[in-house]
């Protein structure tokens, strides 16, 4: 074997080992299977950070690391922010909206 072939094999082994360690780490830190897990995302202003937060949760759901639901809590959303929150809750079935001042009552159901 030549030096180039050895370098390629070493690189493939390193990538394979890193992938295996990443999967093992993900399996070890995966949260327990809790059925009533809720994540509350406070929505403020025009809600420009809501979509990014929900996309991250969607990625976790696809990876099997999050099985709960998300609540967008109105913590001072503008009318445009409320409209965005409603559109996001329609996009993903596991996302709901909670009006301002009703979080404790809403989570108690």
């Amino acid at each position: 074997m030549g030096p180039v072939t050895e370098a390629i094999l070493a690189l493939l082994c390193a990538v394979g080992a890193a992938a295996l360690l990443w999967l093992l780490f993900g399996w070890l830190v995966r949260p327990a299977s809790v059925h009533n897990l809720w994540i509350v995302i406070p929505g403020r202003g025009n809600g420009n950070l809501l979509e990014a937060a929900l996309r991250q949760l969607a990625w976790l759901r696809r990876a099997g690391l999050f099985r709960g639901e998300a609540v967008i809590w109105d913590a001072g959303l503008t009318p445009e922010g409320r409209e965005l929150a409603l559109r996001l809750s329609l996009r993903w079935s596991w996302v709901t909206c909670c009006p301002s001042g009703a979080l404790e009552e809403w989570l108690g159901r």
Side-chain angles (χ1 to χ4, degrees), residues 74-96:
D74 185 348
L77 286 169
T78 63
E80 295 82 17
R82 285 188 200 96
E83 183 180 327
L84 175 63
L86 289 174
R87 277 189 280 136
L88 293 171
S89 69
L90 291 173
R91 181 186 305 172
W92 291 296
S93 62
W94 47 271
V95 176
T96 55

Side-chain angles (χ1 to χ4, degrees), residues 36-37 55 68 84 89 96 102 107:
N36 293 329
L37 183 66
R55 283 185 185 274
L84 175 63
S89 69
T96 55
L107 289 175

Side-chain angles (χ1 to χ4, degrees), residues 23-105:
L23 288 173
L24 181 62
F25 177 73
W27 182 76
L28 289 174
V29 299
R30 185 180 70 192
S33 178
V34 179
H35 296 289
N36 293 329
L37 183 66
W38 292 86
I39 291 184
V40 178
I41 302 171
R44 293 184 178 90
N46 62 1
N48 59 350
L49 300 177
L50 291 175
E51 188 167 4
L54 291 172
R55 283 185 185 274
Q56 292 169 357
L57 285 176
W59 183 85
L60 289 173
R61 287 179 66 87
R62 285 190 303 272
L65 299 174
F66 174 69
R67 294 186 184 107
E69 298 189 30
V71 177
I72 299 174
W73 172 51
D74 185 348
L77 286 169
T78 63
E80 295 82 17
R82 285 188 200 96
E83 183 180 327
L84 175 63
L86 289 174
R87 277 189 280 136
L88 293 171
S89 69
L90 291 173
R91 181 186 305 172
W92 291 296
S93 62
W94 47 271
V95 176
T96 55
C97 294
C98 175
S100 178
L103 184 62
E104 291 86 7
E105 175 187 332

